[in-house]
Amino acid sequence: MIPRMDDTPSRFPASVTALRAAAREAGFTRSCEARTGSLLATLAAARPGGRILELGTGVGEGTAWLLSGMDSASQLVTIELDEAVQEVARRQLGSDPRVSFVAGDGGAWLRNFDGEPFDLVFADTWPGKFTHLQRALHLVAPGGTSLIDDLDPQPGWPAGHAAAVERLLTDLEERPDFRSVRMAWASGLLMAVRSART
Ligand SMILES: C[S@@+](CC[C@H](N)C(=O)[O-])C[C@H]1O[C@@H](n2cnc3c(N)ncnc32)[C@H](O)[C@@H]1O
């Protein structure tokens, strides 16, 4: 039998090895998996000069993948509530002028942000996904993409979370201004693109 295609990424950002070691040391286990990272890099590469937002930096693996796909004119803002966790990312990636780290609550940031919309939003924490969803979608530019992950059951989901995931999927799929695709792949993803039509 011909084996199925191997979808393990063949190119990793150089910083991922150090970020993984630091995550192990810090006991942080919630970094995106490599397949998701390679999708992030690919989506970022599709947006020359793009404006990119990550909600939930963690220790910076997703940030590193995004940066690896971005061109020199693209800009990334990444927001994290836990300053100690984000400090790992700042140490490894902070010298890259394309990234701005924000320490604080993503929900408050989403409420208060009044700048230009984003071409790519990686919603990887509660705000932008299970809270403040409308606000996060409002910040996606026409033709822009929102990528949401961890939609397959995860160990430690709180009671009732499966129903919240179903509501999120339905909310997104019913919106006439977005086209969405479910991907039963990696941790379970939904990619939603804002229609460029007005
Ligand atoms: C799944 S992890 C992020 C992983 C990272 N994006 C990656 O790809 O490697 C989610 C992160 O969201 C952070 N977080 C939790 N609540 C938050 C909030 N209200 N605002 C911002 N970040 C939050 C957590 O501390 C955690 O680091």
Side-chain angles (χ1 to χ4, degrees):
M1 202 167 72
I2 300 173
R4 292 197 65 184
M5 178 178 69
D6 178 2
D7 60 2
T8 312
S10 53
R11 287 166 63 181
F12 280 71
S15 50
V16 160
T17 308
L19 289 170
R20 286 186 175 172
R24 267 196 304 279
E25 202 174 307
F28 185 84
T29 56
R30 292 156 63 202
S31 297
C32 66
E33 60 172 274
R35 288 179 297 174
T36 304
S38 71
L39 177 60
L40 289 170
T42 305
L43 291 171
R47 300 285 174 176
R51 290 175 45 75
I52 299 173
L53 172 66
E54 180 183 39
L55 295 160
T57 313
V59 298
E61 272 198 56
T63 314
W65 280 102
L66 285 164
L67 287 167
S68 75
M70 289 162 51
D71 72 358
S72 60
S74 296
Q75 294 290 324
L76 166 64
V77 178
T78 181
I79 298 154
E80 169 61 51
L81 187 61
D82 183 334
E83 284 189 41
V85 160
Q86 195 186 53
E87 181 54 30
V88 175
R90 284 179 191 258
R91 271 202 306 272
Q92 282 296 323
L93 307 168
S95 62
D96 190 320
R98 298 170 300 166
V99 61
S100 307
F101 290 99
V102 177
D105 173 42
W109 188 90
L110 284 168
R111 264 196 317 278
N112 296 330
F113 179 75
D114 66 353
E116 295 288 304
F118 293 89
D119 302 299
L120 173 60
V121 175
F122 178 34
D124 199 17
T125 189
W126 302 91
K129 205 161 152 181
F130 299 108
T131 69
H132 307 83
L133 174 65
Q134 305 310 326
R135 183 70 190 135
L137 293 176
H138 179 74
L139 292 180
V140 178
T145 300
S146 174
L147 187 74
I148 298 180
D149 76 344
D150 297 340
L151 298 174
D152 272 337
Q154 312 283 318
W157 269 13
H161 195 60
V165 167
E166 263 319 305
R167 269 197 308 279
L168 169 67
L169 291 169
T170 308
D171 273 6
L172 271 156
E173 288 170 345
E174 285 181 348
R175 283 189 66 125
D177 49 348
F178 277 82
R179 288 302 300 256
S180 301
V181 57
R182 296 182 186 203
M183 292 182 278
W185 177 81
S187 63
L189 306 173
L190 183 123
M191 184 160 76
V193 174
R194 181 186 281 284
S195 165
R197 280 180 287 172
T198 49

